[in-house]
Amino acid sequence: MPRKNPYPGVTRVADRHGKPRFRFRRKGVDCYIHGVYGSPEFIAEYQVACEGTHKAAQPTAKAFTFDWLMQKHFATPRYRGLSATTRDNHRRRFAWISKEIGDLPFAKMKPEHVEALMAKKLVLDDQGNITGGRDAAKRVKVDLNGLYKLAQKNGWVPMGCNPAALADTVSVKTDGYYTWTLADVRQFMEVHGPGTKARLALLIMATTGASRQDVVKMGRQNVKDGRINFARGKTKVATSILVTDELQAEIDMLPAGQMLFVTHRAGQPYTKESFGNWFHNRVREAGLTRGSAHGLRKFLATLAAEQGASTDEIRATMAHSSNAQAETYTKKARINVLTDNVQRKISGTKLSNH
């Protein structure tokens, strides 16, 4: 006997890239349902679609459980105002929380429960030392903290009831993605010579600050009067970058009829995930043990800061939404200048008698 569809109107389809998606078609409503199948966000979007048909078949989580609270989170204007990339990250993280504690009442959670959940993200060696997962553990605390703030705001828990805020966390200080050095870039280009897709991809990211999701959409349509014009996918901030001679030389080697700069087989566009995986393999082929597409954005910002670029100049180039992020690069570059000045001033003072 065939299993009954728990979400009437939803069918599993494949998009033009072969990626599975869930489509809702019922009584004049035709839309895609996002999120992991059966996750709180999936259910929340399904309910919205059902409301458009004025039908009552609306599966929902049990009231005052974490799944229920996450559904409320996904329905907030704040969440829906996030970029698509940030929403995708939310969906993945909350799907994991749902799997672990989704059916439990959030009012009964204590700080030690939060800490136990965070511990599941840590990676330990044979001696019990933490070797990885600190960022993931910290993110669990941050996400739960946000959920409890929502619960307090709406009176679902008393003010001050936030076990995530009281939970201890693993202290972690990191610069995030590895920042490429000029030596890394030159080694990559030594292996991937002129006319290769890998060299073109690197030059786009290293000279324009484009991210994965920007690169896969970028092409001749973005170039006018010697400039590449695009809006960064994450921030929606527009920028206009001069095409360097090195980048122009690679673009000139593309087939005349090819619009997109970097394409998959048979001219098909990449998804940002498949492009990231492909580029990772090219990095390893170049003999580099680390380095990612995002690390090239940091390379450009760092190089600009070291050459004396201002915060405003870096913000405009990197298409940041504010100067805050650009200031991290200018401050770091300024530290190097100041410490170098000190060393030059004291270099004439010998510290030994010989």
Side-chain angles (χ1 to χ4, degrees):
M1 182 176 179
R3 185 178 179 183
K4 185 178 180 181
N5 183 2
Y7 306 107
V10 175
T11 54
R12 189 175 187 272
V13 299
D15 64 15
R16 61 195 180 95
H17 305 299
K19 184 177 180 180
R21 301 185 68 183
F22 298 99
R23 188 172 185 177
F24 179 93
R25 284 182 287 189
R26 201 175 189 191
K27 292 187 178 296
V29 177
D30 188 344
C31 62
Y32 286 101
I33 308 296
H34 301 93
V36 178
Y37 187 83
S39 69
E41 190 204 5
F42 179 96
I43 295 172
E45 291 205 7
Y46 176 75
Q47 289 177 329
V48 172
C50 285
E51 287 171 2
T53 68
H54 303 288
K55 296 291 290 184
Q58 299 178 17
T60 187
K62 185 178 179 180
F64 303 107
T65 61
F66 280 99
D67 277 345
W68 181 86
L69 183 57
M70 285 186 279
Q71 286 182 20
K72 299 297 185 183
H73 164 72
F74 290 133
T76 61
R78 181 179 180 182
Y79 170 78
R80 294 190 175 277
L82 298 173
S83 69
T85 300
T86 305
R87 289 199 306 271
D88 285 343
N89 291 334
H90 271 237
R91 285 195 291 266
R92 285 192 292 271
R93 296 199 308 267
F94 281 105
W96 182 84
I97 293 176
S98 175
K99 179 174 68 71
E100 297 292 331
I101 59 171
D103 59 344
L104 299 179
F106 55 81
K108 293 187 177 182
M109 180 170 254
K110 297 180 179 179
E112 56 263 35
H113 300 147
V114 178
E115 292 165 5
L117 196 63
M118 292 162 57
K120 292 188 175 184
K121 288 289 190 178
L122 297 176
V123 180
L124 308 178
D125 62 17
D126 294 338
Q127 285 74 45
N129 300 311
I130 299 172
T131 59
R134 290 180 176 86
D135 285 327
K138 183 179 180 182
R139 180 52 62 183
V140 171
K141 176 181 168 75
V142 171
D143 288 337
L144 289 175
N145 184 56
L147 289 175
Y148 275 100
K149 285 184 177 180
L150 177 64
Q152 290 178 91
K153 177 182 177 181
N154 288 278
W156 300 325
V157 294
M159 292 302 294
C161 177
N162 187 343
L166 298 175
D168 291 331
T169 188
V170 179
S171 178
V172 53
K173 290 184 179 180
T174 175
D175 289 333
Y177 290 94
Y178 169 72
T179 304
W180 289 58
T181 66
L182 185 57
D184 293 333
V185 171
R186 286 172 173 168
Q187 181 173 328
F188 185 99
M189 295 177 69
E190 190 71 27
V191 174
H192 301 291
T196 62
K197 182 167 65 175
R199 189 186 186 95
L200 172 60
L202 176 132
L203 282 170
I204 292 172
M205 292 182 284
T207 63
T208 71
S211 64
R212 292 183 308 167
Q213 62 178 311
D214 303 324
V215 172
V216 298
K217 299 175 182 177
M218 195 175 287
R220 298 184 192 275
Q221 70 277 5
N222 296 93
V223 180
K224 184 177 180 181
D225 299 329
R227 310 183 72 90
I228 290 183
N229 306 284
F230 68 101
R232 190 181 171 208
K234 183 177 182 179
T235 63
K236 309 305 180 188
V237 176
T239 189
S240 179
I241 310 293
L242 283 170
V243 179
T244 66
D245 292 341
E246 287 180 305
L247 176 56
Q248 187 62 57
E250 296 303 315
I251 294 174
D252 290 342
M253 283 187 262
L254 290 173
Q258 181 176 323
M259 287 298 293
L260 290 177
F261 290 148
V262 181
T263 62
H264 215 313
R265 298 189 229 10
Q268 294 300 309
Y270 280 100
T271 63
K272 67 178 188 292
E273 293 82 8
S274 61
F275 172 81
N277 293 333
W278 170 82
F279 190 74
H280 171 84
N281 291 334
R282 305 294 80 77
V283 171
R284 297 301 174 264
E285 286 177 359
L288 300 171
T289 58
R290 53 184 177 170
S292 65
H294 190 80
L296 283 169
R297 275 181 55 80
K298 297 180 69 175
F299 162 77
L300 175 58
T302 300
L303 183 63
E306 290 174 345
Q307 295 299 317
S310 69
T311 300
D312 283 334
E313 288 170 336
I314 294 174
R315 173 189 52 75
T317 299
M318 306 307 294
H320 290 148
S321 54
S322 71
N323 278 358
Q325 199 166 355
E327 285 173 355
T328 63
Y329 297 102
T330 55
K331 285 180 179 178
K332 189 175 293 187
R334 183 62 181 161
I335 288 172
N336 292 344
V337 171
L338 293 173
T339 57
D340 287 353
N341 287 342
V342 169
Q343 293 302 315
R344 279 191 288 270
K345 289 175 180 178
I346 68 172
S347 61
T349 304
K350 294 186 66 175
L351 300 183
S352 71
N353 293 322
H354 304 288

